[in-house]
Amino acid sequence: MTVFLIGVLTVTALVSLIVVTLGNESDARRRQIVRDKSNASSEERRVDYVESRQAA
């Protein structure tokens, strides 16, 4: 019973951590979009493309 309870609490904590992390990422993305919109209206935005290689 104790092992089952520890397992349930661990899974609940991990899922809660994932939810909080994804929520913070969403908020950061929303702030970035708003900031980019305000900056784009006043100046032309430059886009740099960078090639990267990743080992297989």
Side-chain angles (χ1 to χ4, degrees):
M1 181 67 178
T2 304
V3 173
F4 176 75
L5 185 60
I6 291 172
V8 169
L9 290 174
T10 302
V11 170
T12 303
L14 290 175
V15 169
S16 299
L17 180 64
I18 291 171
V19 168
V20 169
T21 302
L22 290 176
N24 288 340
E25 182 177 334
S26 177
D27 290 342
R29 181 70 181 139
R30 190 177 307 116
R31 285 191 304 267
Q32 182 181 8
I33 290 171
V34 169
R35 185 180 61 235
D36 289 347
K37 283 183 181 179
S38 66
N39 288 343
S41 62
S42 63
E43 62 183 43
E44 185 66 27
R45 199 170 156 174
R46 181 179 169 191
V47 178
D48 292 327
Y49 294 97
V50 178
E51 290 186 29
S52 62
R53 294 186 182 192
Q54 186 176 9

